Amino acid sequence: MEDFILFNDVSFSPISEYGDNKIDILKNINLKIGKGEFISLVGKNGCGKSTLSKHFNAVLVPSKGEVIVGGINTKCEQRVFDIRQKVGLVMQNPDNQIISSVVEEDVAFGLENLGIDRHIMRESIDRALRCVGMYEYRGSPTYALSGGQKQRVAIAGILAMNPECIVLDEPTSMLDPSGKEEVLETIVKLNKQFGRTVVLITHDMYELSLSDRVIIMDRGSIASEMTPEELFQSECLFNDYGLLPPSSIKLLCNLEKQGYKIKSKFPDTKLCTKEILSLLEEVKCQH
Amino acid sequence: MMGNMYLGQYIPGNSLLHKLDPRIKLLSSIIFMIISFISGNLFSLFILVLSVMLIVIFSGTSFKVYFQSTKYILFFILLSCIFNAFYGYGEAIFKFWIFTVTFDSIKNSVVIILRIASLLFVSSSVMFTTSPNDMSFAIETFMKPLSIFKINVQDIATMITISLKFVPIIFEETNKIIDAQRSRGADLDDKNIIKKVKAYIPVIFPLFFLSFKRASDLAVAMESRCYNDIIKRTSIREFKIGILDILCLVYIIVILIGVIYCNYLI
């Protein structure tokens, strides 16, 4: 897989009001993200996930090391708009990132900033709104939308700029279950159907299971990298990084402790049910 | 949400006012401000009220929404007019203790309330029917001469429209903080005004903190979507002054002439 984003020994310390920078929020981050990959970034609060997310599209630039996005160094000020067109950032609270009061005008904001022609803009907006399933709401006021719909509009605003990568900083944390589902469906669709690279920052273990690779952060550094399957195999791994395993994994781990042989652990309800049913079948046969 | 309208909120629609060019709407509202302040006698006020009613009808928004969005301001205007009615010169109609109500003071109160209410309703009708982006374009057009003095007109226009967009969100947030502080035992309904002001301090501080956080997030979101002052911005909407816009300007100018005629000749 071709590398799209490269973090080479990146450290970040914000400059204090006295001009010195003492606290390292990010420490020696080395990371490679391939085109079309789905990465999830997890870790405790304050471990530097959001700071790292702002490095993907040059909102922040590293104090040490370099970030290369699609072959462009984020420190190159002349090409900052090229980088921001390649990588879009969606944040936690949709109300804080929606600029206009009408859906299609908000989606148009990024394109208007880039001085794109009206006719090309129209096509991009319609395509982005169709992609997130919000085309029917294009003329609606944003204040009348639900949380999930607002977040999908925020994603459409980024998609209209046709980025190759989308970074989502806890996009479902302020949503109700149905809103969460709508947004997750959209994210998976963007990755699987449209081949966009996705970096998802999350605390939710189910969301994490949707990705190809999990990056665990701890105190500003990358503590570990693995596939979701590897992470869910051991309860110890969760404890090591201060994460809470989902109840389905807890149940399977408890069964394992009781002496039952569990072949694979995964938070997906269908797979978990299948595992328990096969276990019950085995017990039945033994009796 | 519609039951909780706030001043300055855009309501999408397809009315006559929605179809007008934002520049014409802004220019007309400026002329209307002048009309409101020069309307002095009852005839000119009658023309003023009648034209405001027509504007409200053409905005396609119900009177209920207008009253809902301006109810607090209207209450304060009414209060100040009641006080104003007690201070006047001329022949007394009614006298009580130190208060004297005269024909002049009543007339002054009516003039003030009609002027301010007309202004409020016209500006509301412009805000209800103009999307923030269109408004931003109109403000930018009118402020363009200031760019000679190297003032960033685009930034000012964006700031104004974004602040208007955040009015309902800040109101909503204030209500949430009030509820949170009440649930923690804060007495916000004390009749003593000093105690009441003190009780609102724990509401104001979190509100400031949250507003700064919101502004910071918004700045990141805008930067991520390439907001800049280097590239010339385009707009998804095409703005062209048409026959409808010219008719609207003619309508406002006719009202202006009518009011001037009533003021000086009747």
Side-chain angles (χ1 to χ4, degrees):
Chain A
M1 198 182 284
E2 190 192 335
D3 284 336
F4 180 59
I5 297 171
L6 277 170
F7 277 68
N8 290 332
D9 203 25
V10 168
S11 295
F12 178 74
S13 31
I15 299 164
S16 74
E17 54 187 303
Y18 305 107
D20 51 351
N21 37 355
K22 284 174 184 168
I23 319 145
D24 275 349
I25 294 180
L26 298 179
K27 288 174 223 157
N28 310 100
I29 304 268
N30 284 297
L31 187 64
K32 275 181 189 176
I33 298 172
K35 247 185 190 171
E37 236 189 318
F38 189 156
I39 303 281
S40 52
L41 212 62
V42 285
K44 289 180 209 166
N45 279 344
C47 71
K49 300 185 299 291
S50 295
T51 311
L52 185 72
S53 74
K54 287 173 191 158
H55 278 79
F56 281 95
N57 68 344
V59 170
L60 291 178
V61 286
S63 317
K64 212 183 91 193
E66 56 182 15
V67 180
I68 311 287
V69 178
I72 311 166
N73 193 323
T74 56
K75 281 181 181 168
C76 178
E77 281 180 24
Q78 288 82 16
R79 301 203 60 190
V80 75
F81 298 134
D82 292 332
I83 295 168
R84 285 178 189 159
Q85 264 182 282
K86 282 179 191 287
V87 181
L89 176 66
V90 177
M91 291 185 295
Q92 203 174 30
N93 190 348
D95 279 328
N96 291 1
Q97 46 195 327
I98 289 178
I99 286 122
S100 186
S101 298
V102 183
V103 170
E104 64 175 8
E105 283 184 7
D106 186 74
V107 177
F109 183 75
L111 301 169
E112 287 176 338
N113 290 335
L114 290 165
I116 291 176
D117 182 73
R118 187 174 297 119
H119 303 290
I120 303 169
M121 212 189 284
R122 184 78 267 165
E123 274 172 35
S124 306
I125 293 163
D126 291 350
R127 185 173 29 83
L129 284 171
R130 277 202 183 96
C131 189
V132 298
M134 289 295 291
Y135 184 72
E136 289 73 28
Y137 295 89
R138 62 191 182 281
S140 307
T142 48
Y143 59 76
L145 302 177
S146 70
Q149 288 172 328
K150 279 184 193 170
Q151 196 62 286
R152 283 194 281 159
V153 171
I155 296 175
I158 295 296
L159 271 184
M161 292 161 74
N162 204 15
E164 287 167 63
C165 173
I166 301 170
V167 181
L168 303 114
D169 189 355
E170 297 181 41
T172 59
S173 62
M174 295 187 80
L175 308 179
D176 60 7
S178 67
K180 214 172 191 171
E181 212 173 291
E182 284 171 21
V183 173
L184 285 178
E185 259 175 38
T186 311
I187 296 169
V188 173
K189 189 174 151 192
L190 288 176
N191 178 253
K192 304 282 182 260
Q193 210 173 315
F194 297 97
R196 303 272 195 259
T197 310
V198 172
V199 178
L200 177 67
I201 297 174
T202 182
H203 284 292
D204 189 311
M205 292 300 126
Y206 171 69
E207 289 176 18
L208 188 144
S209 73
L210 301 170
S211 62
D212 304 323
R213 188 153 55 108
V214 182
I215 293 163
I216 303 168
M217 281 191 74
D218 190 26
R219 279 169 282 182
S221 315
I222 291 179
S224 188
E225 270 185 62
M226 61 192 81
T227 61
E229 289 82 0
E230 283 167 344
L231 177 69
F232 293 124
Q233 287 317 304
S234 161
E235 203 179 5
C236 305
L237 276 174
F238 283 95
N239 298 333
D240 287 351
Y241 302 115
L243 305 170
L244 199 68
S247 9
S248 52
I249 297 292
K250 270 187 191 171
L251 171 73
L252 293 173
C253 286
N254 281 341
L255 285 169
E256 202 173 33
K257 275 179 203 163
Q258 299 289 322
Y260 294 104
K261 209 176 163 189
I262 306 290
K263 282 168 207 151
S264 75
K265 299 189 202 95
F266 215 69
D268 185 82
T269 330
K270 276 181 194 166
L271 291 173
C272 191
T273 316
K274 209 174 160 187
E275 191 65 44
I276 293 170
L277 281 174
S278 70
L279 206 69
L280 286 171
E281 204 68 37
E282 265 178 44
V283 175
K284 220 187 219 176
C285 290
Q286 278 169 12
H287 288 289
Chain B
M1 190 74 201
M2 292 305 279
N4 204 10
M5 289 301 303
Y6 297 103
L7 190 72
Q9 201 163 314
Y10 171 60
I11 307 166
N14 211 17
S15 73
L16 197 74
L17 245 64
H18 279 92
K19 286 173 190 157
L20 288 178
D21 188 284
R23 292 166 292 185
I24 297 294
K25 276 193 261 187
L26 198 61
L27 179 68
S28 305
S29 58
I30 293 167
I31 300 173
F32 213 93
M33 270 181 211
I34 300 165
I35 297 173
S36 303
F37 282 105
I38 61 169
S39 305
N41 63 24
L42 289 174
F43 290 107
S44 53
L45 281 169
F46 176 73
I47 296 175
L48 181 76
V49 173
L50 205 70
S51 52
V52 170
M53 280 169 83
L54 271 176
I55 291 170
V56 169
I57 291 164
F58 285 137
S59 73
T61 312
S62 70
F63 273 99
K64 200 181 155 193
V65 174
Y66 277 90
F67 281 111
Q68 243 165 13
S69 74
T70 54
K71 60 187 171 191
Y72 297 112
I73 306 171
L74 280 177
F75 172 73
F76 281 109
I77 298 167
L78 202 69
L79 207 69
S80 65
C81 285
I82 290 168
F83 282 117
N84 212 41
F86 292 113
Y87 299 99
Y89 300 101
E91 207 179 312
I93 301 170
F94 171 75
K95 210 170 180 182
F96 169 70
W97 193 32
I98 53 165
F99 303 111
T100 316
V101 178
T102 67
F103 179 74
D104 267 359
S105 64
I106 291 174
K107 192 191 150 198
N108 279 345
S109 293
V110 172
V111 169
I112 290 170
I113 197 163
L114 287 179
R115 273 179 182 172
I116 302 177
S118 303
L119 254 180
L120 210 58
F121 273 49
V122 169
S123 52
S124 294
S125 69
V126 172
M127 299 310 293
F128 285 156
T129 57
T130 317
S131 82
N133 280 24
D134 292 2
M135 188 51 89
S136 177
F137 171 74
I139 296 170
E140 214 180 307
T141 312
F142 282 99
M143 287 176 79
K144 220 162 230 170
L146 289 176
S147 54
I148 303 165
F149 306 107
K150 290 194 174 169
I151 294 171
N152 196 330
V153 176
Q154 185 192 309
D155 276 356
I156 296 171
T158 312
M159 267 194 281
I160 295 170
T161 45
I162 285 178
S163 349
L164 283 171
K165 193 242 156 192
F166 275 90
V167 169
I169 295 169
I170 301 286
F171 264 98
E172 219 171 277
E173 209 146 72
T174 313
N175 289 336
K176 274 184 198 164
I177 298 168
I178 288 173
D179 288 344
Q181 301 297 35
R182 272 208 179 111
S183 68
R184 291 161 70 192
D187 183 13
L188 300 169
D189 304 313
D190 204 299
K191 280 178 184 159
N192 184 325
I193 191 87
I194 296 165
K195 278 186 182 170
K196 198 167 185 166
V197 170
K198 271 187 186 172
Y200 266 91
I201 292 171
V203 174
I204 293 162
F205 277 102
L207 188 68
F208 266 98
F209 175 76
L210 288 171
S211 302
F212 280 117
K213 167 94 180 62
R214 201 179 276 283
S216 155
D217 279 357
L218 186 74
V220 172
M222 285 170 76
E223 266 192 64
S224 296
R225 288 162 78 182
C226 301
Y227 183 75
N228 65 86
D229 54 3
I230 305 162
I231 305 168
K232 196 183 179 307
R233 283 193 86 200
T234 46
S235 176
I236 188 183
R237 291 272 307 269
E238 200 175 3
F239 300 105
K240 262 185 192 165
I241 292 173
I243 188 88
L244 211 65
D245 301 299
I246 294 162
L247 281 175
C248 169
L249 260 185
V250 169
Y251 170 70
I252 296 290
I253 290 164
V254 167
I255 297 166
L256 181 68
I257 294 166
V259 165
I260 293 170
Y261 178 79
C262 290
N263 269 350
Y264 298 104
L265 296 174
I266 296 175

